[in-house]
Amino acid sequence: MPVISYFFLGIFLLILQTSLITILPERVGRPDVFFVLIVFVAIRLKFVHGAVLLLVLGLIMDIFSGIFLGIYPITYLLLFFLLHGIARRLAIHESAHRIPLVVTSYLFVNSLLYTFASYLAPENELIWNWKEILMQILLLAIITLPLFTLFETFDAILTPKKGAQFFLRPKNKNTFRD
Amino acid sequence: MRKKNKKSKQIQLFFLFGSILTFILILIASTVGRQELNGPQRLALDLIGKGQYVFTRLTTGVANVWGDYIALVHIRDENKRLSEELDKFKETNIKYREAVATNVRLSKLLQVKDSLPPPTLTAQIVGRDPSLWFRTIIIDRGSSEGVEKGMPVVTVEGVVGQILDTSPNYSKVLLANDPNSAIDVLVQKNRVQGIVKGNGSNGFNLLYVLKNAGVEKGDAIVTSGLGDIFPKGLPVGKVSEVTKSKRGMFQQIDVEPSVDFSQLEYLIIIMHENSLADQDFGKQYH
């Protein structure tokens, strides 16, 4: 059930991303809200659920973006495996790590997209536009925390037990004792 | 003895009241027929007048405050009503302006449609590519209306791109400024041929133009009609910079598009003559 709800949330954000947000002037920037959800899903959902959802969202993203089918599902799956791999060693769920996590993931995904697109059509030279990328990174840094809070609220509604545990957990517990 | 004292007190009181009454009667008798107030009357008037003044000021003050409050309430209501009315008029004004702007755009599109080889189909943009690497858009016309892959898409200003994929009701358009787009073109003044490719931002590169070809800044670039995709002579852009490096056979030519890709709204799809639109939907859209 949460996977389906995240799927519809993803579709909603994708529609928002491709229609309403594109109306914003280029100089103001167009924050990639859909990508923040991709990262959230990658670190929040269980392995199989997360992988399937990102694969499906990647397939849908292929329809709305780019000309090479298949590069978004592969990119999102690679991001998912990378984040799951990192999550085993680092505490990336901590709120302090969210902004660096999203920004690094964005650079990783765009590097992959650039590499795939250049490999699939080597005659069409892509230009790595640092100005646009830095602008997007700045916007992501601004929207990450509010959006993560929003998604966590959404997650708490979807999984009440988990949400209740989150809100009712002992505040002054010594975490090093566990 | 006590009885005698009581009687004398009564007599004293009687004389006192009698005197006062007589004084009043004399006062009244002396006042009748006069038009001027006497001293005590003036004193009384002064005192009572003061009281009246204070009372009247108080009453007037309260009345004014109350009146102002009531007026404020009315003014607030009036203000609210006028603000709502103003908002309504503003909204109507915006609608009229938008309608006029849409009318102008559609009139221009109609003019262009008349100049293009039939059949054509007007489409509206419903979505844009959010990525940094690709330049595509989604339009509200699909295969059910005869739209097919490869069909050229134009606006009043010039070439926009071509259809990349279709669904029954929507299509994906590859914009001409995407690095994966290539269009056969001519330099209008001397008919030099080349290929225009998107540079990924809001510009084109004109490729495969030999160094000895006379191309200058400001030259108009139009479609060549080769490949049977774009009709011949559609405006593509203007040369913005020409660079001739020592190495290589070709010039490096930058082209400024005739279309502002960030302002696209309504588009024209140039259909194939034997397309479904021509057969079934031609009457509906022309």
Side-chain angles (χ1 to χ4, degrees):
Chain A
M1 186 62 186
V3 179
I4 294 166
S5 306
Y6 275 116
F7 169 75
F8 284 112
L9 179 66
I11 297 295
F12 171 73
L13 288 182
L14 183 62
I15 291 168
L16 198 75
Q17 189 70 49
T18 53
S19 56
L20 206 65
I21 290 177
T22 56
I23 297 169
L24 293 171
E26 272 182 61
R27 64 178 186 281
V28 177
R30 293 155 185 171
D32 201 339
V33 291
F34 180 73
F35 184 74
V36 181
L37 178 75
I38 294 294
V39 177
F40 182 82
V41 165
I43 60 170
R44 180 54 65 98
L45 292 193
K46 286 175 189 170
F47 192 82
V48 177
H49 289 175
V52 170
L53 183 61
L54 287 195
L55 181 74
V56 173
L57 287 177
L59 286 167
I60 293 166
M61 188 67 176
D62 263 348
I63 299 165
F64 293 95
S65 175
I67 61 166
F68 308 110
L69 294 175
I71 66 170
Y72 277 101
I74 293 172
T75 308
Y76 287 165
L77 276 182
L78 286 173
L79 175 72
F80 178 77
F81 294 137
L82 178 78
L83 290 181
H84 262 257
I86 294 173
R88 287 184 180 179
R89 289 166 183 80
L90 296 171
I92 59 171
H93 294 278
E94 296 291 327
S95 59
H97 297 158
R98 283 170 186 171
I99 293 175
L101 181 76
V102 171
V103 167
T104 319
S105 301
Y106 185 77
L107 282 172
F108 173 74
V109 163
N110 277 286
S111 305
L112 283 181
L113 289 173
Y114 178 84
T115 310
F116 286 144
S118 301
Y119 175 75
L120 290 167
E123 71 280 9
N124 302 327
E125 192 189 351
L126 288 175
I127 298 163
W128 183 272
N129 190 340
W130 270 115
K131 192 184 162 192
E132 281 186 21
I133 289 170
L134 288 174
M135 178 74 165
Q136 192 55 248
I137 283 174
L138 180 71
L139 289 170
L140 284 172
I142 296 167
I143 64 166
T144 293
L145 290 180
L147 279 180
F148 260 68
T149 311
L150 199 73
F151 296 151
E152 271 168 359
T153 313
F154 183 73
D155 196 53
I157 295 165
L158 290 178
T159 50
K161 280 182 188 172
K162 210 163 134 188
Q165 279 169 9
F166 177 79
F167 289 113
L168 298 172
R169 73 190 195 280
K171 304 288 181 196
N172 55 355
K173 188 177 136 188
N174 186 349
T175 50
F176 294 103
R177 215 174 262 173
D178 294 332
Chain B
M1 185 70 180
R2 197 180 278 173
K3 206 171 180 181
K4 199 176 177 181
N5 277 346
K6 197 179 174 184
K7 205 169 185 180
S8 73
K9 266 191 180 176
Q10 278 179 344
I11 291 164
Q12 276 177 5
L13 270 173
F14 178 75
F15 272 109
L16 180 68
F17 281 112
S19 304
I20 291 169
L21 191 65
T22 311
F23 176 73
I24 290 167
L25 283 172
I26 291 166
L27 199 70
I28 291 166
S30 67
T31 310
V32 173
R34 284 177 59 187
Q35 291 181 339
E36 282 182 15
L37 300 176
N38 55 27
Q41 282 173 326
R42 280 195 204 108
L43 184 68
L45 175 66
D46 219 29
L47 289 171
I48 294 165
K50 268 279 191 253
Q52 279 179 328
Y53 173 76
V54 171
F55 191 77
T56 309
R57 282 295 297 265
L58 273 173
T59 317
T60 313
V62 171
N64 283 345
V65 169
W66 180 252
D68 286 350
Y69 172 72
I70 296 293
L72 268 178
V73 170
H74 288 306
I75 284 168
R76 194 173 60 188
D77 291 344
E78 182 86 358
N79 194 22
K80 199 177 167 187
R81 190 181 61 78
L82 287 173
S83 292
E84 280 170 3
E85 222 163 82
L86 188 66
D87 287 345
K88 208 186 289 177
F89 284 129
K90 272 183 184 172
E91 198 183 319
T92 314
N93 193 23
I94 288 166
K95 275 182 188 167
Y96 282 140
R97 279 186 177 189
E98 187 58 29
V100 169
T102 308
N103 192 15
V104 169
R105 280 197 300 272
L106 291 176
S107 302
K108 282 183 182 174
L109 275 180
L110 266 178
Q111 284 172 13
V112 175
K113 272 182 85 171
D114 291 341
S115 68
L116 288 170
T120 56
L121 192 61
T122 309
Q124 192 179 3
I125 296 172
V126 292
R128 286 171 188 272
D129 197 324
S131 83
L132 299 177
W133 310 110
F134 309 106
R135 299 284 180 270
T136 61
I137 52 171
I138 307 292
I139 56 171
D140 64 346
R141 301 288 189 191
S143 56
S144 64
E145 286 151 314
V147 180
E148 291 169 17
K149 186 176 179 175
M151 285 179 171
V153 181
V154 299
T155 62
V156 180
E157 287 84 18
V159 170
V160 171
Q162 52 187 304
I163 302 290
L164 190 66
D165 276 306
T166 59
S167 73
N169 296 307
Y170 297 95
S171 300
K172 191 174 179 178
V173 177
L174 177 68
L175 296 179
N177 63 342
D178 188 285
N180 299 291
S181 161
I183 302 168
D184 280 305
V185 293
L186 292 171
V187 179
Q188 197 172 38
K189 72 170 185 187
N190 54 13
R191 319 310 285 173
V192 170
Q193 287 187 8
I195 290 176
V196 149
K197 293 198 84 171
N199 64 6
S201 56
N202 285 327
F204 300 140
N205 295 323
L206 178 55
L207 306 175
Y208 311 120
V209 176
L210 292 168
K211 276 183 182 169
N212 58 3
V215 181
E216 293 171 336
K217 189 178 175 183
D219 285 350
I221 308 294
V222 295
T223 51
S224 68
L226 290 172
D228 284 339
I229 294 174
F230 287 93
K232 196 174 182 179
L234 287 176
V236 174
K238 280 186 176 175
V239 173
S240 59
E241 198 177 337
V242 181
T243 313
K244 290 180 182 175
S245 58
K246 286 181 182 175
R247 287 183 178 181
M249 295 165 64
F250 305 114
Q251 303 181 44
Q252 289 179 337
I253 302 169
D254 293 339
V255 177
E256 189 189 341
S258 52
V259 171
D260 183 355
F261 289 98
S262 62
Q263 301 288 326
L264 293 174
E265 203 172 344
Y266 290 98
L267 308 171
I268 300 168
I269 307 163
I270 302 171
M271 316 283 281
H272 296 154
E273 280 183 21
N274 57 351
S275 67
L276 189 63
D278 195 28
Q279 293 162 14
D280 300 333
F281 295 92
K283 284 177 188 173
Q284 188 182 340
Y285 294 109
H286 298 290

